[in-house]
Amino acid sequence: MSLIISLSACRTEPVIQVQEVSYKAAIAPMFNGYCSYAGCHGNERTSKFNILTYAEVMKRVVAGKAHSSSIYLACTGGSIAALIPPMPSDGYPRLSEDQLLDLYTWIQQGAKNN
């Protein structure tokens, strides 16, 4: 006589709730405070591109794909760093880990104009 015992583990995936990141409350103020210095990205006459408006930011964002978004890669020193230096440039404060997480989350959540 043989006895077969089948054990099945009750497995549940963790549910991580992430609050939606707001462009107007988190992303725009971050760019305005860290990126819009004179001669950087806040004045069309003195920069290659500005990021003062949602439309300008979205030229550098692939909604839902942070690692394909040049603005995220520039801020984190990702693969685009070979083409341009990590932002903000030397002499200016870098984004904090929390700010980078907000930027990543906002892009992954669809980069909404909210």
Side-chain angles (χ1 to χ4, degrees):
M1 174 167 115
S2 67
L3 177 63
I4 300 174
I5 299 175
S6 174
L7 298 175
S8 65
C10 179
R11 209 176 119 184
T12 60
E13 295 298 321
V15 176
I16 300 171
Q17 294 186 357
V18 177
Q19 184 176 359
E20 187 172 62
V21 176
S22 165
Y23 175 77
K24 291 176 185 166
I27 305 305
M30 178 176 58
F31 287 150
N32 289 336
Y34 282 82
C35 310
S36 63
Y37 298 107
C40 291
H41 303 294
N43 185 327
E44 290 178 14
R45 291 175 286 158
T46 60
S47 69
K48 284 187 171 184
F49 61 91
N50 76 57
I51 53 173
L52 293 180
T53 66
Y54 176 79
E56 289 294 327
V57 170
M58 289 308 294
K59 290 178 183 178
R60 288 134 188 99
V61 170
V62 179
K65 297 180 179 183
H67 292 285
S68 296
S69 299
S70 63
I71 203 162
Y72 178 76
L73 295 173
C75 290
T76 60
S79 63
I80 198 169
L83 303 174
I84 59 172
M87 295 288 130
S89 59
D90 289 335
Y92 294 100
R94 300 263 184 234
L95 300 176
S96 70
E97 290 297 319
D98 287 342
Q99 289 169 316
L100 291 172
L101 180 59
D102 280 349
L103 179 58
Y104 176 85
T105 302
W106 173 73
I107 293 171
Q108 291 300 107
Q109 291 175 341
K112 299 173 193 164
N113 188 8
N114 55 359

